[in-house]
Amino acid sequence: VQLQASGGGLVQPGGSLRLSCAASGSIRNINDMGWYRQAPGKQRELVAVITRGGSTNYADSVKGRFTISRDNAKNTVYLQMNSLKPEDTAVYYCNANVLEDYYLSYKDYWGKGTLVTVSS
């Protein structure tokens, strides 16, 4: 299973970006999908998570500005980021809890990360 993230880049404060992450491989089912981020010198933190059924949870720091969504048919999760702030600058990683073909239990997979820089 591979997770391929895209959509990062440089944006001015107040701007928007949309991240995408597609899971591929021998996938039977995916439970939760989410986005995490790690700023320089800081630990990785949860940004947002979405269940297969569409329930969502957000870090307090992004509530009202970020929206997570997913397309189960495409095994893809999205993160729409609006009103970006310099403190949102970080490497963003996607995560998926995956049940592979011929396996009996779910396993967490991570994408390689995409850099988001918010600066004027």
Side-chain angles (χ1 to χ4, degrees), residues 79-90:
L79 186 67
Q80 178 66 44
M81 304 185 293
N82 299 328
S83 302
L84 281 160
K85 305 175 181 180
E87 50 264 44
D88 294 317
T89 295

Side-chain angles (χ1 to χ4, degrees), residues 5-57:
S6 61
L10 173 64
V11 62
Q12 292 186 341
S16 299
L17 280 176
R18 188 189 193 214
L19 305 182
S20 300
C21 177
S24 62
S26 300
I27 298 170
R28 184 186 305 176
N29 193 43
I30 302 178
N31 273 342
D32 294 356
M33 301 184 82
W35 290 94
Y36 293 71
R37 67 186 181 187
Q38 187 166 16
K42 295 187 176 182
Q43 290 188 334
R44 189 175 298 188
E45 63 175 2
L46 173 69
V47 176
V49 64
I50 184 168
T51 68
R52 184 170 183 83
S55 297
T56 59
N57 190 34

Side-chain angles (χ1 to χ4, degrees), residues 13-119:
S16 299
L17 280 176
R18 188 189 193 214
L19 305 182
S20 300
C21 177
S24 62
S26 300
I27 298 170
R28 184 186 305 176
N29 193 43
I30 302 178
N31 273 342
D32 294 356
M33 301 184 82
W35 290 94
Y36 293 71
R37 67 186 181 187
Q38 187 166 16
K42 295 187 176 182
Q43 290 188 334
R44 189 175 298 188
E45 63 175 2
L46 173 69
V47 176
V49 64
I50 184 168
T51 68
R52 184 170 183 83
S55 297
T56 59
N57 190 34
Y58 295 91
D60 288 342
S61 59
V62 307
K63 283 181 181 176
R65 300 188 297 122
F66 291 10
T67 301
I68 189 170
S69 61
R70 66 189 281 175
D71 185 332
N72 290 331
K74 295 181 179 179
N75 290 331
T76 299
V77 62
Y78 306 95
L79 186 67
Q80 178 66 44
M81 304 185 293
N82 299 328
S83 302
L84 281 160
K85 305 175 181 180
E87 50 264 44
D88 294 317
T89 295
V91 177
Y92 284 70
Y93 298 90
C94 58
N95 169 269
N97 188 237
V98 179
L99 178 64
E100 298 175 73
D101 290 339
Y102 311 113
Y103 281 69
L104 299 178
S105 59
Y106 286 79
K107 180 180 176 182
D108 274 342
Y109 286 90
W110 293 88
K112 289 187 177 179
T114 183
L115 177 62
V116 173
T117 303
V118 184
S119 175

